[in-house]
Amino acid sequence: MNFTEIKGLDEAYVLQTYGRNQVAIDHGQGAVLWDTEGKQYIDFTSGIGVCSLGYANEAWAKAIYDQAMKVGHISNLFYTEPYARLASRLAPAAGMAAAFFGNSGAEANEGMIKVARKYSYEKYGEGRATIITLKNSFHGRTITTLKATGQDHFHEFFFPFTEGFRYAEANSMDSLMAAAGDDVCGVMMELIQGEGGVNPLDQDYVRAVAKLCAERDWLLLADEVQTGVGRTGSMFAFQQFGVQPDVVTFAKGIAGGLPFGGFMVNEKCRGVLRAGDHGSTFGGNPMAAAAANVVLDTLTPDFLEDVKRKGQYLRDGIAALGSPYVSGIRGMGLMVGVGIQGMTHRELKDKLMAEGLLCLTAGADTLRLLPPLVISREEIDQGLAVMAKVMGA
Ligand SMILES: *Cc1c(COP(=O)(O)O)cnc(C)c1O
């Protein structure tokens, strides 16, 4: 099918919930994608931080195929090797005790919220269920994670929302103290607010929050759905902030493109969720877990160092454009936000796409770049050349 045919079916038969780019992607290789009309693009999106190994990665595809030919799915009423092996590698790499596997970021955050509430309920009884989240955050699209999201426009239409969330200004301990109370059981945050505009939290603030959580026995809940699994140049972003959360979620990049997510808890929270408290039909699916094991094979310490260097290379390259449209450059590793002035971030994204570079937007004015973690310097250079052409001095 060509673009027009695909778009016609979409408009006729699919709910129109996305502001889609006017392109149908057909296939890819490394950090390069081709659309159905044969046009080639450098990819600075990797889905939305999902395809960490790029496209058509042989080891990834083979692991999925091999597992599909052994057993593609079996319920969690049985043990299987791929998820067990994955947990045994991921938990130590994060300094956590144990993992739960599900299918998406929102679902992972729901599980994390359940851990915080049950931990507090069992230790302190009722009335201590409130979770403080940060303004401008994004935590997902379910009724509960919409409410956890600290942006008013996500709190429309779908009433009644789940109760028990209060919002604090990011990077302000005063605001956090104002939201504090006897009813609080946890503080939930993204170390870098992704959808909100690629805004890294201040190190000092994150450490102060962790200290307060420890003092009051609130759980520190890290939403690393976007920042986790190598995106920022460490296995998890919290490792570069000098804190250790009680619970951390992950999803987007974990399985390199298959739907997969979950959370990990520390020793203190290991016993909170017991048989019957939580579950997922698809969670820990053998094919997805096999794919995730290939992602972990790839994320060696050397590879992660190179993610940091490539991120710096990309940020330096954007700074060197001397573009009048750039108001600031933020981010860590291969999670990069470029503040845009003089045109809207969406206009710029469309112009870059027309010239063969795929980018994302975030917040009100940010061009968001989440290239595959395996992107080469040559591919980064090709992307920068498009940026120079569209937005250079
Ligand atoms: C994408 C994202 C989510 C939601 O993940 P889904 O897989 O779409 O449910 C939650 N939190 C953060 C930080 C995200 O970036």
Side-chain angles (χ1 to χ4, degrees):
M1 280 189 238
N2 64 25
F3 170 70
T4 310
E5 290 163 335
I6 295 167
K7 184 177 174 179
L9 293 183
D10 175 281
E11 286 182 338
Y13 296 110
V14 178
L15 284 189
Q16 300 294 296
T17 62
Y18 299 104
R20 293 193 209 271
N21 295 310
Q22 293 306 298
V23 166
I25 297 298
D26 187 69
H27 65 281
Q29 181 68 56
V32 179
L33 285 166
W34 285 266
D35 70 16
T36 48
E37 320 304 291
K39 185 176 160 75
Q40 184 179 325
Y41 304 87
I42 294 292
D43 178 46
F44 280 2
T45 75
S46 55
I48 301 178
V50 168
C51 306
S52 35
L53 306 183
Y55 305 97
N57 181 289
E58 295 267 357
W60 177 81
K62 183 170 186 307
I64 296 167
Y65 177 83
D66 288 349
Q67 187 59 47
M69 294 305 285
K70 285 174 79 182
V71 58
H73 177 81
I74 190 71
S75 81
N76 282 307
L77 303 174
F78 298 91
Y79 300 96
T80 55
E81 181 181 315
Y83 80 78
R85 180 155 176 265
L86 176 64
S88 76
R89 304 170 78 193
L90 197 58
M96 303 302 275
F100 177 90
F101 295 121
N103 314 283
S104 72
E107 186 198 353
N109 286 337
E110 291 257 352
M112 179 159 74
I113 291 163
K114 285 174 77 174
V115 172
R117 289 185 168 176
K118 186 153 186 269
Y119 172 84
S120 193
Y121 180 83
E122 291 191 325
K123 205 158 163 188
Y124 302 98
E126 271 178 51
R128 200 177 181 274
T130 298
I131 293 171
I132 300 173
T133 70
L134 301 186
K135 293 187 183 162
N136 206 32
S137 58
F138 180 78
H139 296 299
R141 296 280 187 174
T142 62
I143 296 280
T144 297
T145 55
L146 278 175
K147 190 66 178 181
T149 293
Q151 303 184 49
D152 289 341
H153 71 94
F154 285 103
H155 305 159
E156 298 174 329
F157 314 126
F158 309 115
F159 308 102
F161 287 96
T162 308
E163 292 172 37
F165 293 95
R166 274 206 299 279
Y167 313 102
E169 213 63 65
N171 296 322
S172 164
M173 283 310 282
D174 288 347
S175 178
L176 187 68
M177 291 314 293
D182 293 340
D183 60 341
V184 171
C185 66
V187 180
M188 177 167 168
M189 55 174 54
E190 305 158 83
L191 282 310
I192 305 174
Q193 297 189 325
E195 303 297 317
V198 193
N199 298 307
L201 297 182
D202 297 342
Q203 293 254 352
D204 291 348
Y205 170 75
V206 173
R207 288 184 192 169
V209 174
K211 187 161 169 282
L212 186 69
C213 284
E215 281 165 16
R216 306 208 170 180
D217 201 16
W218 298 347
L219 296 193
L220 181 62
L221 310 170
D223 177 351
E224 294 233 25
V225 166
Q226 190 160 156
T227 51
V229 202
R231 175 52 57 187
T232 67
S234 51
M235 191 60 85
F236 286 90
F238 69 72
Q239 293 165 321
Q240 294 181 65
F241 284 78
V243 299
Q244 185 70 32
D246 296 290
V247 192
V248 59
T249 55
F250 52 86
K252 291 186 165 85
I254 178 73
L258 291 195
F260 203 51
F263 58 91
M264 292 187 284
V265 303
N266 63 7
E267 206 54 56
K268 179 168 99 169
C269 299
R270 173 198 278 280
V272 173
L273 296 183
R274 298 186 288 276
D277 286 337
H278 200 47
S280 163
T281 297
F282 290 114
N285 171 274
M287 291 184 289
N293 274 311
V294 177
V295 172
L296 289 200
D297 292 341
T298 308
L299 301 190
T300 61
D302 283 350
F303 180 90
L304 290 172
E305 276 309 309
D306 203 40
V307 167
K308 282 188 194 149
R309 283 192 296 265
K310 287 189 290 191
Q312 192 61 50
Y313 183 77
L314 176 57
R315 289 194 295 275
D316 289 348
I318 295 165
L321 299 175
S323 170
Y325 298 108
V326 173
S327 63
I329 305 171
R330 303 180 295 276
M332 286 164 60
L334 284 170
M335 180 168 183
V336 175
V338 185
I340 299 301
Q341 59 191 8
M343 69 174 126
T344 71
H345 54 352
R346 292 206 178 85
E347 269 176 86
L348 177 58
K349 176 207 59 167
D350 287 342
K351 285 185 179 164
L352 292 167
M353 190 169 71
E355 296 297 334
L357 175 64
L358 301 182
C359 299
L360 299 159
T361 58
D365 64 357
T366 300
L367 193 70
R368 178 171 42 152
L369 313 178
L370 302 171
L373 302 182
V374 297
I375 193 168
S376 67
R377 281 169 178 73
E378 295 69 40
E379 288 163 334
I380 293 176
D381 285 341
Q382 289 169 38
L384 286 169
V386 175
M387 292 181 108
K389 186 171 170 193
V390 171
M391 54 198 280

